[in-house]
Amino acid sequence: MNREFDAVVIGAGHNGLVAANYLASAGLRVGVFERRHLVGGCITTEELIPNTPGFKINGGAIDHILIQRTPIIEDLKLSEYGLKYISIEPMFEVPFPESQGGPLRFYSALDKTVQEFARYSKRDSESYSRLCDEWMKEEALLEALMLDAPPKMDVLFGVRGIGTLLRNRSLLSAMPQASRVDFNVMVRTVLMSANQLINENFEDERVRVSLAALFSLIFSTMSPSLPGTGLMAIMHTMLYRTGLKRPLGGSGRLSESLKDSLLAKGGKVFLTSEVRRILVEGGRTAGVELADGSKVGAPVVVGALDPQVALTKLLEPDLLPDSIVRKLESLRITSYGMTMHAALHAVPSELREGAISRPGRSAGKLLAPSSLSEVERAYHTANFSGRLSDSPLVAVNFPTTYDPSLAPMGKHVLYCWAQFVPDRSPMTWEKDYAKFKEDSKNKIMSRLTQTWTDIPELVIDTLVETPGDLEQRLWIQRGNTQHIDPTLEQMYYYRPIPELSHYRTPIRGLYITGAGTHPGGGVSGMPGYNCARVILADFKR
């Protein structure tokens, strides 16, 4: 087999494209092979709503938070390839009737958000200010661990951790804040549920459900009643460092700019080119075989997709130790949410009133039940009934309020992410799928109508994607955009499993990256960035 590339990347999601860019920048000949007709994976902007030409929706992620904390955008000069971000202010709001105080808004300035809390409870505003001060120190430490392969726990907390610290610039930069962290408090926060943390520290029910919605819908995708979701309280404070940013032209602009950057470096991207098999000869990678039977040679292969699929479906049996295969097959991968998009004649009347710069017009709306106990009940009810919660949490956005290019003149698009769905939601081939999909659509629309009464008459058409639909379109198991659940035993050094946490596999030349690797999902590019650094370090050996 001829050696056609120095490195082949399987999957043109943003992490695969980030890795490819850094490898190409180092002079490697890189080829990226993508199953779909466009790049981006879970970060695309497409015309997917039936019978509505010109209406573009974000096919996956919409908020670009973590990537703002990396050098990727500047390193790769993505602004030269058409990437431009807009800041959303306020970032989010949780609607409440005016009789109950009106919407609670989260601003990019912490002190302004604290003032919002004070409208509901002075004590809660003081608690939030105090806790955020502590959480931001803890977040700085955790964030510093993201831009590198994760150290083992005994190395991080043992004597050898000093050497790790001195070699890690991110950790060194975080030390002024990290040195003031109370680790006894931090560990308890990480291990507890978000609901327990909220109940301990806040008294007003509107504040409580607002925080639960923010933690769950934006940062975790898991129920705030689950142990370990207290971590999201810490992580949400990065919003006060970065603000909330979204690309003009839709989320897909990030992916397209990464593709164009790669092409300018001499890399190649092959669309509608599904990889069927990773080729291994003499204990090391030799390239890949495509679905059409053609073979592409390369000494390095990067699986930028779900690690379970990459290593148990694309490799011949018996190439990996049984212990690793068993761990991969035992990974926790569950369904946790679904989407509904709509093409609209106009935005709801409440958003049309007043000036276009009216506070909250473009902010993400977090629709939540009226109490924290109802949020918890929604999660358990979904799993007991096998349906979307009757009173779901819904993150709602009207992207055309800040980016009119996403729809024909005067028209709008609606984006909804809804939780909670059953952990084992029906897939497209299962008998309950159609009923589940229709029931979910009705519940989401009912929830929207409670806030915007005129929305049903504004809808031109909709696209509802259950976890089964997301799996089929995006090739992510159970519709899990994180690839594997972001539970504590599957994070940092344990993501996806300890033996693979440094992006290397037991097969020489085979690496993995993507949301299922450290530090996890979201729009960050960090897994791709870290993986490329590991590969280039191995090249120097």
Side-chain angles (χ1 to χ4, degrees), residues 7 102 291 373 436:
S373 61
F436 173 80

Side-chain angles (χ1 to χ4, degrees), residues 21 56 79 103 142 186 198 251 255 283 286 309 350 366 370 402 445 482 536:
N21 265 276
K56 301 172 186 175
S79 62
L142 293 174
M186 179 180 175
I198 291 168
S251 274
S255 305
V309 170
E350 184 266 347
L366 308 181
S370 59
Y402 59 85
M445 188 59 72
Q482 309 262 354
L536 294 173

Side-chain angles (χ1 to χ4, degrees), residues 24-305:
S25 295
L28 275 65
R29 294 176 300 157
V30 182
V32 179
F33 292 81
E34 167 59 39
R35 179 183 66 95
R36 296 193 69 212
H37 65 284
L38 78 170
V39 300
C42 291
I43 304 177
T44 63
T45 302
E46 310 176 55
E47 293 186 12
L48 291 173
I49 304 174
N51 310 310
T52 56
F55 288 85
K56 301 172 186 175
I57 63 171
N58 295 307
I62 185 170
D63 298 325
H64 292 209
I65 301 170
L66 277 167
I67 197 168
Q68 312 299 332
R69 304 294 294 168
T70 76
I72 294 168
I73 295 171
E74 184 175 343
D75 281 356
L76 303 181
K77 298 181 171 58
L78 297 184
S79 62
E80 296 180 10
Y81 299 98
L83 181 64
K84 182 179 181 181
Y85 280 101
I86 184 171
S87 296
I88 306 298
E89 194 70 68
M91 300 181 291
F92 304 102
E93 68 175 28
V94 183
F96 295 106
E98 292 300 328
S99 60
Q100 296 179 24
L104 191 158
R105 297 185 175 113
F106 290 84
Y107 291 89
S108 58
L110 175 58
D111 58 350
K112 198 168 181 180
T113 303
V114 169
Q115 291 173 18
E116 279 285 294
F117 277 46
R119 294 196 298 112
Y120 302 92
S121 165
K122 187 173 187 300
R123 176 188 164 190
D124 284 355
S125 69
E126 293 170 351
S127 295
Y128 188 65
S129 179
R130 171 181 51 80
L131 288 167
C132 280
D133 182 62
E134 182 64 29
W135 291 339
M136 289 178 83
K137 299 172 199 169
E138 298 165 357
E139 191 277 331
L141 176 61
L142 293 174
E143 187 181 315
L145 293 170
M146 293 180 179
L147 274 175
D148 207 346
K152 292 182 178 180
M153 294 297 107
D154 61 339
V155 171
L156 181 62
F157 295 110
V159 175
R160 287 186 294 165
I162 298 173
T164 300
L165 169 64
L166 295 176
R167 291 192 300 271
N168 189 311
R169 286 179 295 177
S170 296
L171 275 174
L172 279 172
S173 66
M175 283 314 294
Q177 286 185 292
S179 64
R180 294 181 286 130
V181 169
D182 184 333
F183 283 94
N184 292 316
V185 174
M186 179 180 175
V187 170
R188 182 173 184 266
T189 300
V190 169
L191 293 177
M192 70 196 310
S193 75
N195 278 2
Q196 183 181 357
L197 181 66
I198 291 168
N199 275 322
E200 284 185 4
N201 291 284
F202 301 97
E203 62 181 6
D204 188 275
E205 202 63 39
R206 293 161 297 183
V207 169
R208 287 176 170 180
V209 297
S210 296
L211 288 171
L214 180 67
F215 296 166
S216 184
L217 286 166
I218 306 303
F219 281 91
S220 171
T221 67
M222 298 190 300
S223 167
S225 64
L226 296 175
T229 51
L231 173 64
M232 297 305 110
I234 298 172
M235 298 310 298
H236 97 281
T237 60
M238 73 172 61
L239 282 168
Y240 299 120
R241 303 182 195 276
T242 67
L244 181 65
K245 293 181 170 59
R246 295 173 186 155
L248 286 175
S251 274
R253 281 306 312 149
L254 171 62
S255 305
E256 291 294 331
S257 68
L258 285 166
K259 180 194 74 174
D260 293 342
S261 172
L262 176 61
L263 295 177
K265 295 174 176 61
K268 295 184 181 297
V269 177
F270 301 88
L271 302 177
T272 61
S273 299
E274 181 178 340
V275 172
R276 180 168 63 190
R277 189 162 60 102
I278 297 171
L279 304 175
V280 178
E281 296 177 0
R284 70 161 304 137
T285 53
V288 297
E289 180 181 334
L290 305 182
D292 64 7
S294 60
K295 296 180 180 180
V296 181
V300 170
V301 173
V302 183
L305 65 163

Side-chain angles (χ1 to χ4, degrees), residues 396-456:
V396 183
N397 286 277
F398 298 90
T400 35
T401 58
Y402 59 85
D403 187 358
S405 71
L406 298 176
M409 187 176 296
K411 305 298 183 182
H412 288 271
V413 291
L414 163 72
Y415 167 95
C416 298
W417 172 265
Q419 294 173 200
F420 301 98
V421 298
D423 288 349
R424 306 292 291 179
S425 294
M427 295 295 101
T428 54
W429 60 86
E430 295 177 327
K431 65 177 183 178
D432 293 333
Y433 160 75
K435 183 178 179 182
F436 173 80
K437 185 170 184 172
E438 184 64 23
D439 177 69
S440 298
K441 176 184 176 180
N442 293 337
K443 286 175 178 174
I444 296 171
M445 188 59 72
S446 174
R447 190 70 184 86
L448 293 173
T449 305
Q450 291 173 27
T451 305
W452 302 288
T453 56
D454 60 342
I455 206 162

